[in-house]
């Protein structure tokens, strides 16, 4: 269980440096280029999850894994809302949606979500030795 959670933690940290959003002309953005505060929150949550892994506390790791998933979902929604806001000067809603559609999500999100789910999903399957002592 601990190894899977550590691998998930590593995927979350590495995923924050991978391309998450592609903006035409500007290029690819990772978590730090998207928003400094969200990147810091992501790294703080992963540091707290490391604390849970080191102390063998599955509840802490799951809690911060769920917080990371919620942070990623919030970030995805914020990216889409912000891209619509950038083109709010256009008179027609269909034009705004078309121009906002040029901002594309990249493959780094798969790594981020996979790592967070790997932190949340492992179940501790300790089998108790049920031999009877005579």
């Amino acid at each position: 269980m601990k190894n899977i959670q550590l691998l998930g933690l590593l995927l979350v940290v590495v995923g924050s440096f991978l391309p998450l959003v592609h903006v035409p002309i500007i290029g690819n953005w990772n978590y730090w280029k998207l928003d400094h505060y969200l990147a810091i929150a992501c790294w703080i949550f992963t540091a707290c999850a490391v604390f849970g892994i080191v102390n063998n506390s599955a509840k802490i790791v799951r809690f911060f894994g769920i917080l990371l998933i919620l942070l990623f979902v919030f970030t995805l929604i914020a990216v889409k809302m912000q891209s619509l806001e950038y083109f709010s000067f256009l008179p027609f809603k269909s034009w705004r949606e078309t121009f906002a559609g040029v901002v594309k999500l990249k493959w780094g999100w798969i790594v981020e979500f996979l790592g967070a789910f790997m932190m949340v999903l492992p179940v501790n399957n300790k089998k108790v030795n049920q031999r009877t002592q005579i």
Side-chain angles (χ1 to χ4, degrees), residues 39 43 49 58 71 132:
W43 295 336
L71 179 72
T132 55

Side-chain angles (χ1 to χ4, degrees), residues 62-110:
R62 283 193 181 116
F63 176 72
F64 284 106
I66 291 170
L67 283 179
L68 281 168
I69 291 171
L70 292 175
L71 179 72
F72 298 153
V73 169
F74 172 75
T75 305
L76 287 173
I77 293 170
V79 164
K80 286 300 182 182
M81 296 295 288
Q82 191 65 29
S83 64
L84 283 172
E85 185 66 29
Y86 280 144
F87 298 105
S88 63
F89 64 89
L90 295 173
F92 300 112
K93 186 176 180 180
S94 62
W95 289 5
R96 279 182 271 178
E97 291 172 356
T98 302
F99 281 106
V102 298
V103 176
K104 300 290 184 192
L105 299 177
K106 297 297 280 186
W107 58 275
W109 287 112
I110 297 170

